[in-house]
Amino acid sequence: MRRIATPLIVLAAAVAALVLSSPARACVGRTILIGYHDAPDQVMVANILAVFIDERTGTTVKLSRFRTREEAFEAIRLDKVSLYTDYSTILLSKFAGERPSGDDEKNIARLKEVLNRKYNVVWLEPFGYDRYFSETAKNVERPGQAGVMLCKDALSKFPALPKLLGKLRGVLDNETMASLLREVSTSDPKTVARRFLKSRKLI
C-alpha cells in the first residue's frame, strides 16, 4: 500500500507545484467589451486597448461599435461595455451639463466627480492627445484630454485594470496619433495597433 501511495503523493505535490508556479492570469475566462463610435481616433484607440489588454492579461476582448458618441456613452453608463474612450471637455459639457473652464486639470477633476457620482463610471488617466482627428471636426473646438472610462461593474471584475492601463499614459500624443491614423488609412487597425505597441515595448 505504501509503494502505491508514495508515487501518488509525489505526483500530487508535483501538480500543485506546477499550478502555483504558473503565472497568475485572473482575467482569463471573462470578457472585456470596448465601446467606440465612428471616428478615426476612436477606432485606433479601441484597437490599441484591445490588443494591449489581450496580450498582457490573456483576457478575451471584444469591440462594440456605435454610430454616435451618445450611443457609446449610454453603453458605458448602463454597463453594456466595459471601457470607452472620449475627450474630457466634451464629456463635461455634453453629459455633465457643465461649462468647461480653460484649465484641463480642473475640468478633469470635475469630470471625475460627476462621472463617479452621477453615472457610476470611473475616469482613468488621459492618454496624452487632446485634439480631433476627423477631417470634419471644427478646428476651433477644444475637445480636452482623451482618456478611458471604466464602468464600475468592470472595475469589480478586473480590479487590476486601472493600473495596467496606466502604462499607456502619455504614449499617445497628438503627433503619434496623427502618424498612426495615416498608417491605418492603408492598413488594418489591429495590425497597426500591435505594431505600435511592440515598438514601444508594451507587449
Side-chain angles (χ1 to χ4, degrees), residues 69-89:
R69 169 176 280 113
E70 288 76 12
E71 289 179 0
F73 184 82
E74 185 72 359
I76 189 77
R77 184 180 74 83
L78 296 178
D79 290 347
K80 291 183 178 179
V81 296
S82 312
L83 299 172
Y84 167 57
T85 300
D86 212 334
Y87 297 98
S88 57
T89 300

Side-chain angles (χ1 to χ4, degrees), residues 89 92 99-104 106-107 142:
T89 300
L92 191 62
R99 186 173 182 175
S101 70
D103 188 323
D104 278 343
K106 288 183 179 179
N107 289 337
R142 294 185 65 254

